[in-house]
Amino acid sequence: MPHSSYFDRDLSWLTFNYRVLEEAAREETPLLERLFFLSVYCSNLDEFYRVRIPAVAALQKIKATREDYISAAGVQLLTKISSRINSQLENFGRLLTGQVLPALRQKGIHFNYRQPIPASAMAAATGYFLTQVLAFLQPVYLSAGGAGFFPENDHLYFLIILDQDSPGEELVILNIPSDSLPRFFSTSEGTTHHILFLDDIIRENLTYVFPASVISSVISFKISRDAELDLEDEYQGDIAEKIEKRLTKRDAGLATRLLYEPGAPIRILESLIKQLNLEGATTMEGGRYHNLRDLAGFPVKDPTLSYRPWPATGRNFDHRPSLLQAIMEKDILLHVPYEAYDPVLRFFNEAAIHPQVEGIFVTLYRVARDSRIVHALISASRNGKNVTVFVELKARFDEANNLRWAKKMKEAGVKIIYSIPGLKVHAKIGLAKKRVDGRVHYCGLLATGNLNENTARFYTDHILLTGNHELMRELELLFIFLSKRKDPRKAEKIAFQYLLVAQFNLQDRFLALIDREIGHAREGRSASMIIKMNNLEERVLIDKLYEASQAGVRIQLLIRGICCCVPGVSGQSENITIHRIIDRYLEHGRVFIFHNGGQEDIFLGSSDWMNRNIYRRIEVCFPVYEPRLKAEIRELLRLQLADTVAASPITAEGENTIADPAPAARPIGNDAIRSQEAIYQYLAELRNDPPTRN
């Protein structure tokens, strides 16, 4: 069959999300983890509707206001996307009701899904409703001026039809307060545990809310809204104040989807759409329950039904009086979450109080809600250090948290640099500047993932702690540039020799590295690349990969999410193979290995090859020099490329399909390799800390 040169990014993303659903279908996945994967699938899909669907739908109005969509082909694309999602949701429902719920029931866990509340649980449910739930219910009568009611983004509601004594019907919107109360209520009867939806508890007790009315129908619904803040690319004014004001309006964004329970009468839906001004939204029939991402909070805690813990391997530097001095002597490479995050926390803690440290510089993109790193930066400032923090206020869905921490740091005397208009600073870098006997020394941190001790527990990332003078000097130059808040696309460039920095040299350096492999191949020498990223979209780099493939360069790609590169096409990409790994940890590290005739170059970094990373962000990728650390990276990727369980191939036929096959567990043989488990064992043995599990 003929193949396009590029996969569509949104259809490719839907394939990735379907792989998440497939993890829930694996019988060997622990039961509560299967529920978790179902919740992740739903959470991802909700974000897709907030972020991507507005971009596609804009084409129907010939309004190319979002990235990547400029042609009217978006109308056809929207149809394909809807068909794909509908197919996936049907499989989701069959998986949940046909496999997961029966498996729970066998364990004595009765998850009440689309069933009346059992009589044995009704008294407890009604008591909970009267004492806890009723206080949060706020009915809105549309006939009594409720037409001005504004449903918030992704909040849950009932549309209730009341039969009145007078002619006509009364439409009432009633909130389901899952933002204030747990989505699930549990009650036990002997060894049986009943898990009830908050929604169903409210349904069963509506006579307490409408005692004088006959309830004709109850229809659940929710509305998704555009998540973009639409900040203008300008330099004047207080950007923090502008973002803070925009955040208050985010949930009032343009409605992109109305999701409603099956069986809703057309005339009622039309009335709801008209009264709530939803004419521009996509209307979709969903299930009885929405926001099933809440399954992540399923109220059962049973270690036997969850993944067996993998205790993080400790990198114990307690015997060293100074971690900063240890870094000056030898580079340290951490692989989280397999290894403990403690050295990162100690790096900032020690820098905050070390008498020879005079300055600390760091970029923050997504930080923990109670960030120990930020607390250390605040202490450093109060301890007399010069602390400079670049806070990216445009990190989607983390703007409020970043803004809150920025204010606290500013109050403590930290120099805060806010976002550069038109760009996001996505680099994950930190620098401590020491003065010893009048001479300046640097200790630095460069990472593939955010400086966030919470996500470090389940995102796989690599963190280099180094005192390499050339790298650290260039890192300082970048921080000096960032402090000026200039747009590097319009300002004088820094001639980075060692770091690869987007908006300066990153794309050109990657193109040159690929060209070098092409040169080796054309000269008859061995030529290969191994590249691991979250997403691959940017066409200049994809075209260069195609050119390398045609020259005979062997290219192995590990792409977790969006992949627009089409592998295995004769005359275009026959030397390219691509795999996607979905497992208990979220694959997040970016790794670039270039064979270079046996003189391997290895880079790690924050940058995917997406349009946004290449053209609209400041990213930093960095070389790994020490042979022992390069050997570690090489072995980690060897294990991932050998994965026969969690890895699935991306093929020329697979990414653009309209309908997915029903998810099914793949058989696992005795010789199967699950790379994350293998990596955990490898690192434990490497650090002389054998795994404690069986």
Side-chain angles (χ1 to χ4, degrees):
M1 60 176 290
H3 300 286
S4 168
S5 294
Y6 313 101
F7 289 134
D8 174 77
R9 66 164 282 175
D10 290 305
L11 292 177
S12 177
W13 182 90
L14 289 171
T15 302
F16 149 71
N17 204 33
Y18 196 70
R19 271 290 293 115
V20 175
L21 193 58
E22 286 184 322
E23 286 304 299
R26 291 181 183 272
E27 293 183 0
E28 66 273 14
T29 301
L31 191 51
L32 294 181
E33 306 295 349
R34 297 176 77 178
L35 278 174
F36 177 73
F37 278 113
L38 291 174
S39 78
V40 171
Y41 172 85
C42 294
S43 178
N44 289 346
L45 190 58
D46 282 342
E47 183 172 337
F48 181 80
Y49 268 97
R50 291 198 72 186
V51 176
R52 293 302 305 169
I53 288 297
V56 185
L59 279 181
Q60 298 181 70
K61 302 177 182 178
I62 318 298
K63 181 183 177 184
T65 58
R66 298 287 187 271
E67 61 184 29
D68 307 322
Y69 289 97
I70 304 176
S71 92
V75 178
Q76 293 181 343
L77 177 59
L78 191 60
T79 301
K80 289 183 179 180
I81 288 171
S82 297
S83 177
R84 185 79 174 274
I85 291 173
N86 289 338
S87 171
Q88 291 186 2
L89 290 175
E90 289 175 4
N91 286 328
F92 178 98
R94 285 192 291 267
L95 171 59
L96 177 59
T97 59
Q99 296 184 36
V100 177
L101 295 185
L104 285 169
R105 204 170 293 117
Q106 290 178 1
K107 300 294 184 181
I109 303 166
H110 289 225
F111 184 17
N112 209 72
Y113 190 87
R114 295 194 306 211
Q115 299 291 331
I117 295 177
S120 58
M122 184 61 77
T126 299
Y128 180 69
F129 175 83
L130 293 173
T131 59
Q132 303 296 324
V133 180
L134 196 54
F136 294 95
L137 299 186
Q138 301 162 7
V140 176
Y141 292 79
L142 296 183
S143 64
F149 169 73
F150 192 90
E152 294 184 60
N153 173 69
D154 276 353
H155 283 221
L156 300 176
Y157 299 96
F158 285 133
L159 178 62
I160 300 171
I161 306 172
L162 302 178
D163 286 338
Q164 305 291 345
D165 293 335
S166 57
E169 299 169 319
E170 176 72 72
L171 299 184
V172 183
I173 294 176
L174 183 67
N175 62 310
I176 301 172
S178 59
D179 54 328
S180 302
L181 295 170
R183 184 71 186 282
F184 304 106
F185 172 74
S186 63
T187 181
S188 297
E189 175 193 4
T191 58
T192 299
H193 300 284
H194 293 287
I195 310 298
L196 310 178
F197 274 94
L198 175 63
D199 321 32
D200 289 336
I201 293 174
I202 296 173
R203 282 181 190 265
E204 293 286 352
N205 290 281
L206 284 174
T207 53
Y208 289 101
V209 184
F210 307 104
S213 301
V214 176
I215 299 170
S216 173
S217 185
V218 180
I219 303 159
S220 64
F221 75 94
K222 78 165 186 176
I223 292 167
S224 299
R225 298 187 179 276
D226 187 354
E228 287 294 336
L229 295 181
D230 291 327
L231 290 167
E232 297 177 359
D233 291 340
E234 57 186 31
Y235 287 78
Q236 291 75 28
D238 187 334
I239 191 169
E241 182 180 346
K242 290 178 181 179
I243 289 179
E244 192 166 22
K245 288 180 179 178
R246 290 284 186 177
L247 283 173
T248 63
K249 300 178 181 179
R250 165 174 274 166
D251 284 344
L254 178 70
T256 59
R257 176 178 62 159
L258 167 62
L259 191 64
Y260 58 90
E261 183 177 349
I266 297 298
R267 59 183 175 79
I268 296 298
L269 284 175
E270 290 176 346
S271 177
L272 182 69
I273 290 169
K274 182 178 180 180
Q275 294 200 59
L276 299 183
N277 298 314
L278 303 176
E279 287 83 357
T282 300
T283 57
M284 290 185 63
E285 186 177 82
R288 178 183 177 94
Y289 309 104
H290 312 304
N291 284 3
L292 288 181
R293 62 174 183 260
D294 292 338
L295 289 170
F298 195 71
V300 172
K301 308 299 178 187
D302 184 342
T304 66
L305 302 181
S306 300
Y307 284 127
R308 186 174 296 153
W310 290 354
T313 301
R315 300 291 296 277
N316 191 347
F317 296 96
D318 292 348
H319 65 287
R320 298 298 302 262
S322 171
L323 176 64
L324 299 182
Q325 182 59 38
I327 295 169
M328 294 296 297
E329 297 169 5
K330 183 171 65 173
D331 287 358
I332 297 169
L333 184 60
L334 302 175
H335 311 285
V336 295
Y338 307 104
E339 298 185 293
Y341 199 67
D342 294 352
V344 176
L345 300 180
R346 182 174 171 183
F347 174 88
F348 288 102
N349 292 345
E350 189 174 316
I353 204 164
H354 197 290
Q356 294 176 330
V357 172
E358 59 182 29
I360 303 172
F361 307 82
V362 66
T363 58
L364 296 179
Y365 191 77
R366 300 187 193 277
V367 297
R369 295 291 175 185
D370 186 25
S371 173
R372 292 293 178 261
I373 292 172
V374 175
H375 281 300
L377 296 171
I378 289 172
S379 294
S381 180
R382 289 176 175 161
N383 291 339
K385 315 295 185 187
N386 294 317
V387 182
T388 301
V389 180
F390 188 100
V391 181
E392 181 49 76
L393 295 181
K394 294 177 290 186
R396 184 181 286 132
F397 304 129
D398 276 81
E399 301 96 341
N401 187 51
N402 289 359
L403 195 59
R404 175 176 66 90
W405 278 121
K407 289 180 178 179
K408 288 187 176 182
M409 287 188 285
K410 197 170 185 178
E411 290 170 359
V414 174
K415 180 182 178 182
I416 298 296
I417 307 167
Y418 288 131
S419 304
I420 298 172
L423 290 172
K424 287 184 181 180
V425 175
H426 190 248
K428 326 296 186 183
I429 50 178
L431 180 67
K433 188 175 181 179
K434 297 171 61 179
R435 189 170 297 276
V436 182
D437 298 328
R439 296 183 60 190
V440 173
H441 298 264
Y442 301 94
C443 293
L445 177 154
L446 303 105
T448 65
N450 293 303
L451 299 178
N452 185 318
E453 59 268 35
N454 289 344
T455 56
R457 292 183 291 109
F458 51 90
Y459 282 31
T460 71
D461 275 305
H462 312 286
I463 304 156
L464 179 68
L465 301 169
T466 181
N468 181 284
H469 186 79
E470 288 81 9
L471 294 181
M472 295 302 96
R473 178 56 187 153
E474 290 197 346
L475 209 56
E476 184 180 41
L477 290 175
L478 179 58
F479 276 113
I480 292 170
F481 184 90
L482 292 177
S483 69
K484 300 174 182 177
R485 291 189 71 233
K486 290 184 177 180
D487 188 334
R489 298 167 298 188
K490 303 174 184 177
E492 184 177 350
K493 302 279 188 179
I494 300 173
F496 291 106
Q497 296 183 49
Y498 307 101
L499 296 178
L500 281 58
V501 183
Q503 312 317 316
F504 292 88
N505 69 339
L506 183 141
Q507 185 183 44
D508 289 343
R509 286 289 304 279
F510 276 132
L511 291 171
L513 289 164
I514 299 173
D515 275 331
R516 189 176 64 184
E517 294 301 319
I518 293 172
H520 285 305
R522 288 175 176 164
E523 293 295 325
R525 293 185 291 271
S526 175
S528 64
M529 291 178 280
I530 302 174
I531 298 175
K532 177 185 176 184
M533 289 180 286
N534 297 337
N535 302 294
L536 172 57
E537 173 200 28
E538 201 278 325
R539 292 188 176 185
V540 172
L541 287 161
I542 291 176
D543 287 345
K544 184 60 69 173
L545 292 176
Y546 290 158
E547 181 184 344
S549 172
Q550 292 160 22
V553 179
R554 184 188 184 203
I555 302 169
Q556 296 170 286
L557 304 179
L558 291 165
I559 310 296
R560 187 199 76 218
I562 295 166
C563 180
C564 297
C565 177
V566 182
V569 177
S570 179
Q572 172 181 286
S573 55
E574 60 263 50
N575 289 311
I576 299 176
T577 59
I578 311 178
H579 286 81
R580 172 183 281 130
I581 295 177
I582 306 294
D583 208 343
R584 67 186 289 175
Y585 296 143
L586 181 77
E587 294 293 337
H588 194 256
R590 290 88 167 182
V591 183
F592 310 86
I593 301 179
F594 300 91
H595 182 63
N596 189 29
Q599 302 297 312
E600 231 169 27
D601 280 328
I602 296 181
F603 295 85
L604 308 174
S606 64
S607 183
D608 290 323
W609 287 359
M610 294 283 285
N611 291 336
R612 65 192 182 205
N613 303 99
I614 301 301
Y615 301 115
R616 296 188 295 280
R617 289 184 175 182
I618 291 179
E619 308 274 5
V620 172
C621 291
F622 49 93
V624 178
Y625 291 131
E626 294 196 15
R628 61 188 177 84
L629 302 184
K630 293 169 79 169
E632 286 181 22
I633 291 292
R634 195 182 307 112
E635 178 62 10
L636 299 190
L637 264 65
R638 186 194 70 79
L639 291 170
Q640 294 206 306
L641 290 168
D643 195 314
T644 59
V645 178
S648 57
I650 293 177
T651 65
E653 292 78 17
E655 291 293 280
N656 280 335
T657 184
I658 299 299
D660 297 278
R666 285 173 283 175
I668 298 179
N670 293 330
D671 58 347
I673 296 176
R674 194 164 201 151
S675 59
Q676 291 190 354
E677 182 173 12
I679 288 170
Y680 173 74
Q681 293 174 330
Y682 163 71
L683 289 173
E685 293 168 3
L686 185 68
R687 311 302 184 207
N688 297 315
D689 185 11
T692 57
R693 59 190 181 80
N694 295 329

